[in-house]
PDB file of all heavy atoms in Angstrom:
ATOM      1  N   LEU C 254     -18.340   1.645   7.620  1.00 96.00           N
ATOM      2  CA  LEU C 254     -17.978   0.214   7.454  1.00 96.00           C
ATOM      3  C   LEU C 254     -17.764  -0.535   8.723  1.00 96.00           C
ATOM      4  O   LEU C 254     -18.052  -1.649   8.872  1.00 96.00           O
ATOM      5  CB  LEU C 254     -16.724   0.139   6.641  1.00 96.00           C
ATOM      6  CG  LEU C 254     -16.781   0.201   5.142  1.00 96.00           C
ATOM      7  CD1 LEU C 254     -15.433   0.346   4.462  1.00 96.00           C
ATOM      8  CD2 LEU C 254     -17.567  -0.975   4.545  1.00 96.00           C
ATOM      9  N   GLN C 255     -17.189   0.196   9.725  1.00 95.00           N
ATOM     10  CA  GLN C 255     -16.930  -0.407  10.918  1.00 95.00           C
ATOM     11  C   GLN C 255     -18.212  -0.594  11.788  1.00 95.00           C
ATOM     12  O   GLN C 255     -18.471  -1.722  12.327  1.00 95.00           O
ATOM     13  CB  GLN C 255     -15.921   0.445  11.785  1.00 95.00           C
ATOM     14  CG  GLN C 255     -15.856   0.244  13.237  1.00 95.00           C
ATOM     15  CD  GLN C 255     -15.306  -1.100  13.665  1.00 95.00           C
ATOM     16  OE1 GLN C 255     -14.957  -1.939  12.839  1.00 95.00           O
ATOM     17  NE2 GLN C 255     -15.416  -1.371  14.940  1.00 95.00           N
ATOM     18  N   PRO C 320     -34.016  -8.728 -11.019  1.00 92.00           N
ATOM     19  CA  PRO C 320     -34.523  -9.985 -11.104  1.00 92.00           C
ATOM     20  C   PRO C 320     -34.104 -10.895  -9.895  1.00 92.00           C
ATOM     21  O   PRO C 320     -32.913 -11.001  -9.595  1.00 92.00           O
ATOM     22  CB  PRO C 320     -34.075 -10.608 -12.400  1.00 92.00           C
ATOM     23  CG  PRO C 320     -32.814  -9.822 -12.661  1.00 92.00           C
ATOM     24  CD  PRO C 320     -32.909  -8.455 -11.989  1.00 92.00           C
ATOM     25  N   SER C 324     -34.562 -20.051  -7.297  1.00 89.00           N
ATOM     26  CA  SER C 324     -34.134 -21.141  -6.420  1.00 89.00           C
ATOM     27  C   SER C 324     -34.046 -20.788  -4.962  1.00 89.00           C
ATOM     28  O   SER C 324     -33.896 -19.585  -4.724  1.00 89.00           O
ATOM     29  CB  SER C 324     -32.774 -21.816  -6.863  1.00 89.00           C
ATOM     30  OG  SER C 324     -31.766 -20.879  -6.620  1.00 89.00           O
TER      31      SER C 324
ATOM     32  N   THR R  11     -27.667 -11.349 -10.570  1.00 92.00           N
ATOM     33  CA  THR R  11     -27.970 -10.714  -9.290  1.00 92.00           C
ATOM     34  C   THR R  11     -27.106 -11.287  -8.181  1.00 92.00           C
ATOM     35  O   THR R  11     -26.619 -10.588  -7.340  1.00 92.00           O
ATOM     36  CB  THR R  11     -29.446 -11.064  -8.950  1.00 92.00           C
ATOM     37  OG1 THR R  11     -30.250 -10.397 -10.062  1.00 92.00           O
ATOM     38  CG2 THR R  11     -29.920 -10.417  -7.665  1.00 92.00           C
ATOM     39  N   ARG R  26     -13.238  -4.169   5.224  1.00 97.00           N
ATOM     40  CA  ARG R  26     -13.291  -4.252   6.584  1.00 97.00           C
ATOM     41  C   ARG R  26     -11.992  -4.996   7.116  1.00 97.00           C
ATOM     42  O   ARG R  26     -11.614  -4.832   8.294  1.00 97.00           O
ATOM     43  CB  ARG R  26     -14.508  -4.986   7.154  1.00 97.00           C
ATOM     44  CG  ARG R  26     -15.753  -4.149   7.194  1.00 97.00           C
ATOM     45  CD  ARG R  26     -16.991  -4.935   7.531  1.00 97.00           C
ATOM     46  NE  ARG R  26     -16.938  -5.574   8.727  1.00 97.00           N
ATOM     47  CZ  ARG R  26     -17.356  -5.139   9.956  1.00 97.00           C
ATOM     48  NH1 ARG R  26     -17.771  -3.823   9.935  1.00 97.00           N
ATOM     49  NH2 ARG R  26     -17.236  -5.723  11.024  1.00 97.00           N
ATOM     50  N   ASP R 106     -27.479 -21.354  -9.196  1.00 90.00           N
ATOM     51  CA  ASP R 106     -27.358 -20.379  -8.085  1.00 90.00           C
ATOM     52  C   ASP R 106     -26.550 -21.012  -6.919  1.00 90.00           C
ATOM     53  O   ASP R 106     -25.818 -20.292  -6.285  1.00 90.00           O
ATOM     54  CB  ASP R 106     -28.805 -20.057  -7.619  1.00 90.00           C
ATOM     55  CG  ASP R 106     -29.588 -19.282  -8.647  1.00 90.00           C
ATOM     56  OD1 ASP R 106     -29.079 -18.864  -9.641  1.00 90.00           O
ATOM     57  OD2 ASP R 106     -30.846 -19.180  -8.443  1.00 90.00           O
ATOM     58  N   ALA R 340     -12.482  -2.811  13.476  1.00 89.00           N
ATOM     59  CA  ALA R 340     -11.321  -1.958  13.642  1.00 89.00           C
ATOM     60  C   ALA R 340     -10.281  -2.421  14.750  1.00 89.00           C
ATOM     61  O   ALA R 340      -9.126  -2.066  14.789  1.00 89.00           O
ATOM     62  CB  ALA R 340     -11.738  -0.609  13.929  1.00 89.00           C
ATOM     63  N   ARG R 370      -8.241  10.864   9.291  1.00 90.00           N
ATOM     64  CA  ARG R 370      -7.508  12.077   8.757  1.00 90.00           C
ATOM     65  C   ARG R 370      -6.236  12.294   9.697  1.00 90.00           C
ATOM     66  O   ARG R 370      -5.308  12.728   9.224  1.00 90.00           O
ATOM     67  CB  ARG R 370      -8.438  13.288   8.912  1.00 90.00           C
ATOM     68  CG  ARG R 370      -7.788  14.545   8.583  1.00 90.00           C
ATOM     69  CD  ARG R 370      -8.946  15.709   8.430  1.00 90.00           C
ATOM     70  NE  ARG R 370      -9.615  15.760   9.670  1.00 90.00           N
ATOM     71  CZ  ARG R 370      -9.285  16.606  10.705  1.00 90.00           C
ATOM     72  NH1 ARG R 370      -8.168  17.216  10.683  1.00 90.00           N
ATOM     73  NH2 ARG R 370     -10.155  16.636  11.757  1.00 90.00           N
TER      74      ARG R 370
END
Side-chain angles (χ1 to χ4, degrees):
Chain C
L254 275 172
Q255 158 67 6
S324 67
Chain R
T11 298
R26 281 171 62 88
D106 293 350
R370 176 171 56 87

